[in-house]
């Protein structure tokens, strides 16, 4: 997520407010706030409208809002539900209420903390645990308060509270301010820091074009260990953070299409199609690059992609 154009990541076109989903629409697709899910949402809209002659509406919303909408029947599809990030929602709605179904769509994701190559060279940082060293943290202090700053994600992302847990588990919550902000603004900061040879550390993930746009260094940390990964769902009730621990690397993420279970009866062709969608990590990264770096309009991009990949799309409807 990083050139001059990237400063408009989740660009006006990609993050434009979609009109409130009309209740008359045959299918309503939820659209959370990162580029690959926006690309996928638009592609699914074009594919369903073209192949099944149905009306499809897009509805912006956080992961929680989209899951709640699928449970209530006001939203029918989540194009890219990351697991284990959203395990608490899976347990509630997929395993518990059984009001939502999940279908893996081939892609895998990785999540970590990154610094620019220049930052690594200047500071010597190689390991995430070094962030708990006050002397290291000062390299990332931009406001003079004695603590560094680190972007841990956007509001509404399943990864953001987990990054809070990880910061506490590693101990750098005491030396670093944990910044929660929209990705466009955060990556504009990254772009500016790299241009100014300023040190910066931030949440990074794939599928994403950020590793193509810049030379980044992923900070080392202990390998994923399920016994060390205990995530209590975020709650207004005090204690969830203290009861959680995640002092190891993320496990590989699975990207899934979620849909309301009622879709199988109301729109069986759509439900069957969603179970066949397969978009790999490289494809999603290319989509992200088109929207975030090339600043392509997501609707126009989706129309062109469906035309250029007609055989793939046709396979979803067989």
């Amino acid at each position: 997520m990083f050139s001059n154009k990237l400063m408009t990541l989740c660009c006006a076109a990609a993050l434009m407010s979609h009109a409130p989903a009309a209740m008359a629409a045959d299918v309503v697709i939820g659209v959370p706030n990162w580029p690959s899910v926006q690309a996928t949402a638009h592609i699914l809209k074009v594919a369903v409208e073209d192949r099944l002659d149905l009306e499809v509406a897009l509805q912006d919303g956080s992961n929680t809002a989209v899951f709640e909408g699928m449970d209530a029947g006001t939203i029918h599809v989540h194009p890219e539900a990351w697991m284990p990030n959203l395990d608490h929602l899976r347990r509630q709605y997929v395993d518990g209420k059984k009001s939502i179904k999940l279908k893996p769509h081939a892609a895998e994701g990785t999540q970590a903390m990154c610094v620019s190559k220049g930052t690594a060279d200047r500071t010597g940082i190689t390991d995430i645990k070094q962030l708990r060293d006050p002397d290291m943290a000062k390299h990332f202090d931009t406001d003079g308060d004695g603590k560094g700053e680190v972007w841990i994600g956007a509001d509404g992302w399943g990864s953001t509270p987990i990054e809070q847990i990880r910061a506490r588990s590693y101990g750098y919550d005491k030396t670093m301010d944990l910044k929660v902000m929209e990705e466009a603004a955060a990556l504009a900061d990254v772009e500016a820091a790299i241009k100014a040879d300023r040190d910066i550390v931030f949440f990074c993930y794939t599928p994403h074009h950020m590793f193509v746009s810049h030379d980044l260094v992923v900070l080392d940390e202990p390998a994923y260990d399920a016994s060390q990964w205990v995530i209590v769902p975020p709650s207004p009730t005090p204690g969830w953070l203290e009861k959680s621990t995640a002092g190891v690397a993320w496990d590989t993420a699975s990207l899934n299409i979620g849909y309301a279970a009622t879709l199988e009866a109301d729109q069986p062709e759509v439900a069957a199609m969603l179970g066949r969608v397969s978009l790999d990590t490289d494809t999603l990264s290319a989509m992200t690059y088109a929207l975030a770096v090339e600043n392509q309009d997501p609707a126009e991009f989706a129309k062109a992609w469906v035309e250029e990949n007609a055989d793939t799309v046709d396979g979803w409807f067989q």
Side-chain angles (χ1 to χ4, degrees):
M1 300 175 176
F2 307 111
S3 66
N4 284 337
K5 290 181 179 178
L6 187 57
M7 294 175 71
T8 58
L9 174 70
C10 302
C11 46
L15 277 183
M16 62 183 178
S17 287
H18 303 109
M23 293 306 294
D26 298 302
V27 179
V28 179
I29 298 175
V31 190
N33 58 343
W34 62 91
S36 58
V37 72
Q38 292 156 358
T40 304
H42 281 84
I43 286 169
L44 293 178
K45 172 179 166 66
V46 172
V48 171
E49 289 181 337
D50 285 358
R51 302 303 197 272
L52 300 179
D53 196 28
L54 297 174
E55 181 182 351
V56 180
L58 300 179
Q59 178 63 59
D60 291 340
S62 67
N63 286 303
T64 298
V66 174
F67 268 74
E68 290 174 347
M70 289 191 291
D71 177 63
T74 57
I75 294 176
H76 303 110
V77 182
H78 189 311
E80 192 178 292
W82 285 54
M83 301 295 157
N85 305 35
L86 304 181
D87 271 351
H88 61 294
L89 297 176
R90 175 188 56 78
R91 288 193 294 269
Q92 181 175 358
Y93 295 111
V94 179
D95 300 338
K97 300 180 72 174
K98 302 187 185 305
S99 59
I100 296 172
K101 296 196 173 183
L102 291 177
K103 300 291 184 179
H105 64 75
E108 292 184 341
T110 61
Q111 300 166 91
M113 277 291 164
C114 282
V115 297
S116 66
K117 179 63 163 53
T119 297
D121 291 343
R122 288 186 296 269
T123 66
I125 190 168
T126 59
D127 193 291
I128 196 170
K129 295 178 182 178
Q130 291 175 264
L131 292 174
R132 64 192 182 197
D133 179 350
D135 290 333
M136 177 60 75
K138 288 178 182 177
H139 288 285
F140 306 101
D141 180 11
T142 62
D143 57 14
D145 69 351
K147 296 179 69 176
E149 293 93 45
V150 54
W151 177 59
I152 63 168
D155 188 32
W157 288 8
S159 59
T160 302
I162 295 176
E163 285 299 333
Q164 287 181 262
I165 295 166
R166 280 160 46 79
R168 185 175 184 276
S169 299
Y170 282 123
Y172 61 83
D173 60 329
K174 297 179 176 62
T175 57
M176 305 284 291
D177 287 326
L178 311 181
K179 298 173 65 176
V180 176
M181 57 195 294
E182 287 301 309
E183 187 176 50
L187 294 178
D189 285 350
V190 172
E191 173 77 7
I194 290 174
K195 284 186 174 181
D197 292 328
R198 175 167 54 82
D199 300 326
I200 192 163
V201 57
F202 52 95
F203 177 70
C204 54
Y205 65 96
T206 64
H208 205 285
H209 66 274
M210 64 171 71
F211 292 93
V212 175
S213 300
H214 282 288
D215 191 0
L216 304 181
V217 174
V218 177
L219 296 182
D220 293 334
E221 53 186 313
Y224 173 76
D225 179 346
S227 68
Q228 300 299 313
W229 190 272
V230 180
I231 306 298
V232 177
S235 167
T237 304
W240 69 269
L241 184 58
E242 292 76 10
K243 294 176 182 177
S244 301
T245 184
V248 294
W250 284 85
D251 193 9
T252 300
S254 168
L255 280 59
N256 305 265
I257 289 181
Y259 63 86
T262 55
L263 201 63
E264 294 183 337
D266 297 340
Q267 298 290 349
E269 290 180 298
V270 175
M273 167 263 192
L274 293 172
R276 300 188 191 103
V277 173
S278 181
L279 297 170
D280 62 28
T281 303
D282 289 343
T283 299
L284 290 174
S285 294
M287 291 177 179
T288 299
Y289 190 91
L291 266 60
V293 177
E294 297 178 341
N295 205 21
Q296 293 191 39
D297 175 82
E300 293 302 318
F301 168 81
K303 289 179 184 177
W305 193 93
V306 170
E307 289 178 4
E308 294 166 4
N309 296 272
D311 290 344
T312 296
V313 175
D314 287 344
W316 299 347
F317 292 89
Q318 293 177 354

